[in-house]
Amino acid sequence: MSVPDGLEVFGSMPMRDAFAWEDYMTAVDGVVAQTEAVGGRGILIYTDNSQLDPWILSQYVLAHSRTLSPLVALQPACMHPHTAAKIIASLSFLHQ
């Protein structure tokens, strides 16, 4: 698949409740591999009480991908912006 100039592709983390626990990380690995294969820039990771922690999943994406950046959909009511900024700065430092 070829991406037109100026268009950036982002994958989307699978919803946790669509998979059995033992199959979920296999699905995540598939999304990471597929997004990289089409030249994607990152993966959208949802913030939702029914999902895994988005920051832990972000760490997983950064550790298992050479090119993708996590894009966390923040819920300001759930986390203070300063806390989110500190986590982002820490992940950026750890993963360059």
Side-chain angles (χ1 to χ4, degrees):
M1 177 179 145
S2 150
V3 177
D5 287 340
L7 184 67
E8 295 180 357
V9 175
F10 285 81
S12 182
M13 193 59 65
M15 299 300 283
R16 214 305 302 151
D17 53 359
F19 297 90
W21 279 108
E22 58 273 9
D23 299 328
Y24 183 67
M25 293 313 293
T26 301
V28 168
D29 289 335
V31 169
V32 168
Q34 291 170 358
T35 304
E36 279 190 318
V38 299
R41 279 202 57 201
I43 294 180
L44 173 63
I45 302 175
Y46 306 99
T47 299
D48 185 314
N49 287 337
S50 67
Q51 304 302 312
L52 296 178
D53 182 84
W55 301 108
I56 301 298
L57 285 175
S58 294
Q59 168 65 30
Y60 186 86
V61 168
L62 290 167
H64 290 87
S65 168
R66 294 180 307 269
T67 60
L68 300 178
S69 296
L71 177 62
V72 176
L74 290 173
Q75 297 291 339
C78 296
M79 177 180 283
H80 192 279
H82 179 267
T83 303
K86 186 172 182 178
I87 293 170
I88 292 166
S90 297
L91 288 172
S92 295
F93 174 78
L94 291 172
H95 293 279
Q96 305 296 316

